[in-house]
Amino acid sequence: MTARCVVVGVDGFTFRHIQPLLGRGLMPNMASLLRGGASARLVSSTPWQTPVGWTTYATGVNPGQHGIYGWWSPDLSSGELRPSSGATVGNARIWEILSGAGLRVGVVNVPMTYPARPLDGFLLAGLDSPFATPEVDSLFAYPRGLREELLAEGLDYRVTPDLSPAVPIAEMAARWAEVERARVGASELLYERFQPDFLQVNLFLTDYIAHRSRPAEASFETAYRTGDELIGRLRRLAGPETTFIIVSDHGSLEIDKFIMIHNVLRDCGLLHFGPWLADEHVPGILGLPASAPQVRSMVEMLRSKGVEYRESAYRDVQAEHAGANIGFSTIDWDRTKAFCTSDYGQVTVNRSRGRAAVTSADEAARVLVQVRAALLALDDGQGPLVSHIIDRDGLYWGHQAPKGPDLTPVLADHRYYFCQVYSFYRHPESRLIAPVADVVDPVATGCVGDHDPYGVLVMAGPDVPAGVRLPDASIVDLAPTILQRYGLDPLPEFDGVALLDFLGGVRPASASASPAEPADASGLAQRLRDLGYRI
């Protein structure tokens, strides 16, 4: 009989928050899985962010091969940040490999899967670009029209609930719970219809709530208990002879302070902004309830009318929004040698645009030495904030590696967070380190919490040892492990190893399980803001 496997991806799921709820008896399904299966802390990709983590998981390769480094990709030729898209990923995902091997598969709500590619089975895409509402797009599902079939069955399938910053967090948690229950209901129906050999269902409510709620609050408990409830439903669907896997793309924790990375580069004399109104500040300038078309219209006007119009527009708002000229769209490339577009303080050298472009390896090395020194000097009174810094070649390899950042700082304490979000600089903050609440409203902007590199891996089923905690694994190891479960060899390009200790064997040696050690962008932008991502 063909081996069956059900994977439940739970965004931002972490043992840090699971363990206290287990102690109170509030997550019975996770407790049962941990008693009956094997678990490990799962080290995420670098950076530990949703699009990067899930693409790394699904392809079994690092960002230097698959090319996804975050939600946005800097385009220096146009001076614009372009949305990253799963459509650019040329590597086969796990389910595509299995489908090609003659197995039937089902995939529900995995990020970076739009457009839904043909396969033997079904796929409902998850968070992706460039569409703000992919569920209304014809390429959202495969087979085409599958969402409409679900609607006909009485299932109002949606990627997210209706999102609004004005909705109280407790109500938003309830809305998310409703959407996730409908998602699992759709998965149950499609499982019975298609009888897939492999099923993956991703849940997102735990990540959304962790961005906006503290662990002691009721909405946080609602998110984790709902996740546990739905894990239980999917485990019952899978049955005892199926390998059942819980995996998360990263962990989560509360954040206390921002490191203002643009100010760090500014003080080094490496980053400069012109006196022009930035695209990134248009939503804040327009205010609520500005619609995506209104934002898009104003951004298009700024781009079409050029620098003089941007300068005039900035003067009009400067008194109230003095930092509204800070954006990727307003970087003065004739004076800028380094910049950051990563939530994790990753710095890239400007090698191609403007009179300041760095054209030699020696000059690039001097710039990076200066940046390293500034980052390692960051101190909040209790010692250095950055434990170490990794060069690009130490993190990424493959044909897409040149797209990656030049260096990555690793924080000693993840309760600090690199603030690269241009719109957060609207009210000028000159400090290098500042409490989150001094810069933005933490709840409204999704800055109550953020990610850390440690996710969750739990596996139960035939041959899986019961009740054991295994050494840390890497997210890049899941693809070869799942293929191993089906008796398939790993692809030559895989960067990870099969976790044979989860399958009753011995794990091969691997150095991968350590966290970073030696189209319509306006619609997507608003969607990501609503979800708690800062752009």
Side-chain angles (χ1 to χ4, degrees):
M1 184 177 71
T2 300
R4 284 200 173 192
C5 181
V6 171
V7 178
V8 184
V10 190
D11 215 281
F13 217 35
T14 173
F15 287 119
R16 174 185 287 108
H17 302 318
I18 292 169
Q19 292 293 352
L21 295 172
L22 287 174
R24 296 167 56 197
L26 298 180
M27 297 187 74
N29 293 301
M30 280 298 296
S32 174
L33 281 168
L34 291 168
R35 286 193 303 270
S39 63
R41 193 171 64 165
L42 189 67
V43 179
S44 185
S45 57
T46 300
W48 34 91
Q49 191 180 52
T50 295
V52 191
W54 288 118
T55 305
T56 299
Y57 153 82
T59 61
V61 301
N62 80 96
Q65 292 204 61
H66 62 63
I68 301 296
Y69 288 94
W71 286 115
W72 300 91
S73 300
D75 181 355
L76 269 63
S77 63
S78 67
E80 298 176 21
L81 286 176
R82 299 190 182 279
S84 299
S85 170
T88 67
V89 176
N91 306 79
R93 277 84 159 185
I94 301 166
W95 45 87
E96 293 167 342
I97 299 169
L98 294 173
S99 178
L103 300 171
R104 179 163 288 186
V105 299
V107 182
V108 178
N109 197 45
V110 179
M112 309 308 284
T113 52
Y114 176 92
R117 298 175 181 174
L119 40 66
D120 183 359
F122 63 91
L123 190 149
L124 297 169
L127 292 174
D128 206 342
S129 61
F131 294 94
T133 51
E135 59 267 34
V136 303
D137 184 81
S138 62
L139 299 179
F140 170 70
Y142 187 85
R144 306 298 180 223
L146 185 58
R147 179 176 182 265
E148 288 70 24
E149 293 179 24
L150 292 173
L151 289 172
E153 297 275 357
L155 286 165
D156 182 16
Y157 185 91
R158 290 173 286 163
V159 174
T160 71
D162 295 329
L163 302 170
S164 169
V167 175
I169 190 64
E171 181 180 339
M172 189 56 73
R175 290 186 183 186
W176 267 106
E178 179 183 349
V179 165
E180 300 289 24
R181 289 184 180 111
R183 192 180 331 281
V184 170
S187 302
E188 291 166 336
L189 186 152
L190 294 172
Y191 189 84
E192 294 302 322
R193 180 187 302 178
F194 285 87
Q195 293 293 301
D197 302 296
F198 171 88
L199 174 69
Q200 177 157 349
V201 181
N202 272 41
L203 309 175
F204 196 77
L205 81 167
T206 43
D207 185 77
Y208 179 91
I209 296 301
H211 278 289
R212 286 181 159 82
S213 178
R214 302 188 186 281
E217 296 176 12
S219 54
F220 204 102
E221 183 178 304
T222 295
Y224 268 70
R225 293 186 70 179
T226 301
D228 184 76
E229 167 200 327
L230 299 178
I231 286 168
R233 280 176 57 177
L234 289 166
R235 191 182 185 192
R236 288 189 291 276
L237 178 72
E241 297 306 312
T242 295
T243 300
F244 190 77
I245 302 173
I246 305 295
V247 60
S248 62
D249 53 338
H250 53 71
S252 62
L253 78 172
E254 295 178 74
I255 55 174
D256 298 329
K257 292 185 178 182
F258 282 143
I259 299 172
M260 310 301 286
I261 184 63
H262 300 320
N263 293 349
V264 175
L265 297 176
R266 174 205 65 194
D267 286 1
C268 290
L270 298 173
L271 175 64
H272 299 271
F273 300 97
W276 317 307
L277 180 61
D279 297 353
E280 292 84 351
H281 290 277
V282 167
I285 298 299
L286 290 176
L288 295 174
S291 65
Q294 288 174 312
V295 172
R296 183 166 55 246
S297 176
M298 185 169 178
V299 167
E300 289 173 353
M301 186 179 299
L302 289 172
R303 292 176 181 174
S304 65
K305 293 196 173 183
V307 170
E308 290 186 2
Y309 183 82
R310 279 189 187 273
E311 190 168 353
S312 173
Y314 175 55
R315 286 198 301 268
D316 290 343
V317 302
Q318 186 175 7
E320 188 175 354
H321 306 291
N325 68 314
I326 296 178
F328 189 78
S329 58
T330 53
I331 290 177
D332 184 344
W333 295 104
D334 288 333
R335 298 191 294 153
T336 290
K337 293 184 179 295
F339 60 93
C340 173
T341 58
S342 163
D343 291 325
Y344 302 90
Q346 296 176 296
V347 174
T348 301
V349 172
N350 169 26
R351 291 182 172 85
S352 62
R353 184 164 187 185
R355 291 193 295 270
V358 174
T359 57
S360 73
D362 286 346
E363 185 182 9
R366 288 194 296 272
V367 168
L368 292 174
V369 165
Q370 188 177 358
V371 174
R372 281 191 191 90
L375 290 169
L376 291 171
L378 291 169
D379 192 315
D380 200 21
Q382 298 183 11
L385 297 182
V386 174
S387 66
H388 58 283
I389 296 172
I390 311 171
D391 291 334
R392 178 172 59 200
D393 292 346
L395 277 178
Y396 307 121
W397 50 93
H399 70 287
Q400 300 274 23
K403 290 174 52 179
D406 286 285
L407 59 77
T408 297
V410 179
L411 290 168
D413 184 346
H414 292 289
R415 290 175 299 176
Y416 289 80
Y417 185 83
F418 282 104
C419 180
Q420 66 83 20
V421 188
Y422 298 105
S423 61
F424 286 6
Y425 289 72
R426 185 166 73 247
H427 303 292
E429 173 55 66
S430 61
R431 289 174 289 180
L432 301 185
I433 303 164
V436 172
D438 285 4
V439 180
V440 294
D441 178 336
V443 176
T445 57
C447 290
V448 173
D450 207 85
H451 307 166
D452 77 359
Y454 300 109
V456 166
L457 175 60
V458 181
M459 191 180 301
D463 303 322
V464 179
V468 299
R469 182 70 176 262
L470 296 172
D472 287 0
S474 169
I475 197 166
V476 81
D477 295 332
L478 267 295
T481 301
I482 291 170
L483 292 189
Q484 176 73 33
R485 183 68 184 88
Y486 289 91
L488 299 174
D489 292 332
L491 299 187
E493 64 264 30
F494 278 178
D495 292 321
V497 298
L499 301 171
L500 298 180
D501 49 344
F502 275 84
L503 302 175
V506 177
R507 187 188 307 189
S510 170
S512 59
S514 59
E517 293 179 355
D520 173 9
S522 64
L524 175 66
Q526 188 57 55
R527 183 182 183 83
L528 295 178
R529 287 189 192 95
D530 291 342
L531 289 169
Y533 291 99
R534 277 82 64 190
I535 55 176

